[in-house]
Amino acid sequence: MFESNEMAREKLLLVPGPSPVLPRILEALARPTVSHVGPEMVRELGGACENLKKIVFSEKGEPFIIAGAGTLSMEMALLNVVGPDDRVLVLSQGYFGKRMAEICRAFGLRHDVLESEWGKAVLPEELAARLSERPYQVVACTHVDTSTGACGPVEAYARAVKKAGALFVVDGVCATGGIAERMDDWTIDIVLTAAQKCLGTPPGLSVLVLSERAVEKRRSLASVAAYYSDLLRWLPVMHDPAKYFSTPCVNEVRAFYEATRVIMEEGAEARFARHDLFARAMRAGLAALGFGFFTDQRFLASTLSVVAYPEGVDDKAFRSTLYENGVVVAGGLAQTAGRVFRMGHMGNLTAEQVLLALDAVETSLKTLGRAVALGAGARAARGVLGS
Ligand code: PMP
């Protein structure tokens, strides 16, 4: 257990995942370890599955909650629906789109990549044009690429993919539970995600929802190059957690169930609106403090900001000073390293935490010798929050 002074020293975690975890979710994690096939798991894994379907607006989809992380979710999604005769089109707008293609390569899945410039996303008309050039059985996209802060136009992609008759896989690791993903209405076949971002649970779970069509596709494949990752082996467990395939991470599932209850209490639509509001507030505050944004305006995601430094602010010095002032953010990935910092504003964040983060940014700039108008960041954010 934490000593109370240790708890007081805990930083506000604003990396773009994991997001801060509410005490009631941490408490669920610390509840007793129960039998993986006992009544508690039947209730809590079962309840988490039901709630998960509501979060992605899927009536008849099949949810899967399995020990792992986002990358395993990506791998599971592809391995379970891409057959030897299929071809995948990967829409890539950054680091995690590249990863999707790397997974295809690692398993010898035939694929092409349609790539956008960093900070933007592939346009729906570019996708439609590609789909009319050659047949694809599966299209995979990243909803929000955490490297660039760009949000792909998933609903418009879905329309193009449906027209082409392909299966549509969405990497929602940095979006699910924070930005709408309406599986049934939009026709998405797989939403894959992880516990630690907009869902607000500690890292440790691969989370997927498959449409009926995606499950049928898996059934149509004689075999897949997977054992633990073969979703058909997990399906009976997700229908009835009293059945055994491989021991679920009981405590993490208990925490995840609690996290889905938090989301149900807030309401999915209210949660999406809150993410949008906090993103606008945070960006107004950062802009007032002299920062710019890496992501193209048209594609700004509400779950994180990729923040460009003003002339003369050193990345390492800024982030370590901000850390000393109580807030943890991440550096830029690949080509953006040193030029930006990445700040998550997702999950169970509060308006107070948004304001606190802006105050810490302001204090850090001052420590580094920049002239900033006192309280300018929080004031701009308050203007958006209406508080
Ligand atoms: N996809 C996206 C969009 C992500 O942001 C991440 C993690 N940052 C992943 C996939 C991989 O998830 P994990 O680190 O949990 O394996």
Side-chain angles (χ1 to χ4, degrees), residues 16-17 68-72 74 96 99 142-147 171-175 192 194 196-197 203 205 342:
T71 304
L72 182 64
M74 296 165 81
F96 290 101
R99 176 166 296 188
T142 318
H143 194 164
V144 172
D145 203 302
T146 321
S147 60
D171 171 352
V173 173
C174 198
L192 67 94
Q196 74 269 20
K197 299 212 186 203
L205 288 176
R342 294 176 305 136

Side-chain angles (χ1 to χ4, degrees), residues 40 46 54 85 142 215 363 380:
E40 297 86 356
K54 292 181 187 142
D85 303 324
T142 318
V215 175
T363 308

Side-chain angles (χ1 to χ4, degrees), residues 133-301:
E133 278 164 23
R134 75 179 295 177
Y136 290 96
Q137 288 68 43
V138 178
V139 175
C141 80
T142 318
H143 194 164
V144 172
D145 203 302
T146 321
S147 60
T148 69
C151 182
V154 167
E155 185 179 3
Y157 289 163
R159 270 197 294 275
V161 176
K162 187 177 181 184
K163 203 164 154 208
L167 285 173
F168 187 32
V169 176
V170 176
D171 171 352
V173 173
C174 198
T176 309
I179 303 175
E181 292 170 333
R182 303 179 198 280
M183 281 190 76
D184 289 354
D185 287 358
W186 298 352
T187 316
I188 300 173
D189 292 291
I190 301 185
V191 166
L192 67 94
T193 188
Q196 74 269 20
K197 299 212 186 203
C198 305
L199 302 170
T201 318
L205 288 176
S206 295
V207 177
L208 302 97
V209 183
L210 269 67
S211 70
E212 288 178 295
R213 195 159 154 250
V215 175
E216 269 164 41
K217 179 65 193 278
R218 167 61 194 94
R219 287 191 202 282
S220 77
L221 302 174
S223 66
V224 292
Y227 187 83
Y228 182 84
S229 294
D230 182 352
L231 293 176
L232 278 191
R233 296 183 192 277
W234 283 104
L235 196 57
V237 179
M238 297 302 144
H239 286 171
D240 176 10
K243 296 212 166 94
Y244 170 74
F245 165 54
S246 167
T247 311
C249 44
V250 166
N251 295 69
E252 174 78 18
V253 168
R254 305 197 84 171
F256 187 70
Y257 173 53
E258 191 64 21
T260 63
R261 283 163 44 107
V262 169
I263 298 173
M264 291 297 102
E265 285 166 23
E266 182 176 14
E269 303 293 353
R271 193 172 176 88
F272 304 149
R274 178 173 59 74
H275 276 75
D276 180 63
L277 180 71
F278 285 6
R280 286 186 289 112
M282 192 71 97
R283 285 185 196 126
L286 290 167
L289 295 174
F291 291 93
F293 299 97
F294 173 80
T295 315
D296 186 305
Q297 284 280 345
R298 292 172 295 165
F299 301 104
L300 280 171

